[in-house]
Amino acid sequence: MKVLMIDDNELDLLISRKLISKQDPSLEFTEYTNASKALSFLKEQEKVAFDIILLDLNMPEMNGWDFLDEYQKLSIPKANVYILTSSLDTRDKSKSKEYDVVKGYFDKPLKHHYISEIISQQVH
């Protein structure tokens, strides 16, 4: 499975990648610290299909909501998006349900049971 991780915090990306790799070492990762650059990559590489996108919400330049709005417009196979956030705004979880591609909403830091849930959803 291919995983795209988008988070402006490089330490969060590293921790997430290490935790997920421990649970499933076969996963392939692509990481971006900028949502706009990740979106440009997806537009250019329309054949590259990701199974999972782990997305932070609060990022400079383009936040997670802006990314989702643009991502849904792309004519590429859609990945299952999982929001990983430190946001304390309860409205964010409700808003995430407005996006068909969003399959989960998790608080940071990433935890083993989140990873299990994400991976098991891919298998079904």
Side-chain angles (χ1 to χ4, degrees):
M1 283 192 289
K2 292 184 177 185
V3 180
L4 174 61
M5 298 193 310
I6 306 168
D7 193 320
D8 62 315
N9 185 322
E10 291 186 31
L11 184 58
D12 284 341
L13 286 172
L14 175 68
I15 291 168
S16 294
R17 181 173 21 86
K18 295 240 182 230
L19 283 172
I20 297 167
S21 293
K22 277 185 182 179
Q23 202 148 341
D24 189 342
S26 69
L27 296 176
E28 297 175 37
F29 295 92
T30 301
E31 301 172 12
Y32 279 92
T33 56
N34 178 298
S36 179
K37 288 182 180 176
L39 192 62
S40 293
F41 172 77
L42 290 169
K43 287 178 181 176
E44 293 168 9
Q45 307 293 324
E46 290 193 7
K47 319 178 249 213
V48 176
F50 289 95
D51 302 292
I52 300 168
I53 296 177
L54 299 178
L55 178 66
D56 185 21
L57 289 180
N58 299 317
M59 296 179 282
E61 189 180 327
M62 175 182 265
N63 67 32
W65 302 123
D66 296 335
F67 173 85
L68 284 169
D69 290 339
E70 293 303 314
Y71 179 67
Q72 289 192 138
K73 296 176 188 174
L74 298 179
S75 58
I76 60 172
K78 298 298 186 286
N80 289 333
V81 177
Y82 298 89
I83 293 174
L84 284 177
T85 185
S86 55
S87 172
L88 300 175
D89 190 340
T90 56
R91 294 172 295 181
D92 285 342
K93 189 168 189 171
S94 296
K95 184 174 180 175
S96 73
K97 294 175 182 173
E98 297 172 14
Y99 295 88
D100 291 339
V101 295
V102 175
K103 304 301 180 194
Y105 183 98
F106 303 108
D107 297 321
K108 286 183 182 178
L110 188 62
K111 295 172 183 64
H112 287 286
H113 64 276
Y114 296 166
I115 298 166
S116 297
E117 185 176 330
I118 291 168
I119 292 173
S120 71
Q121 286 183 13
Q122 301 310 305
V123 178
H124 296 103

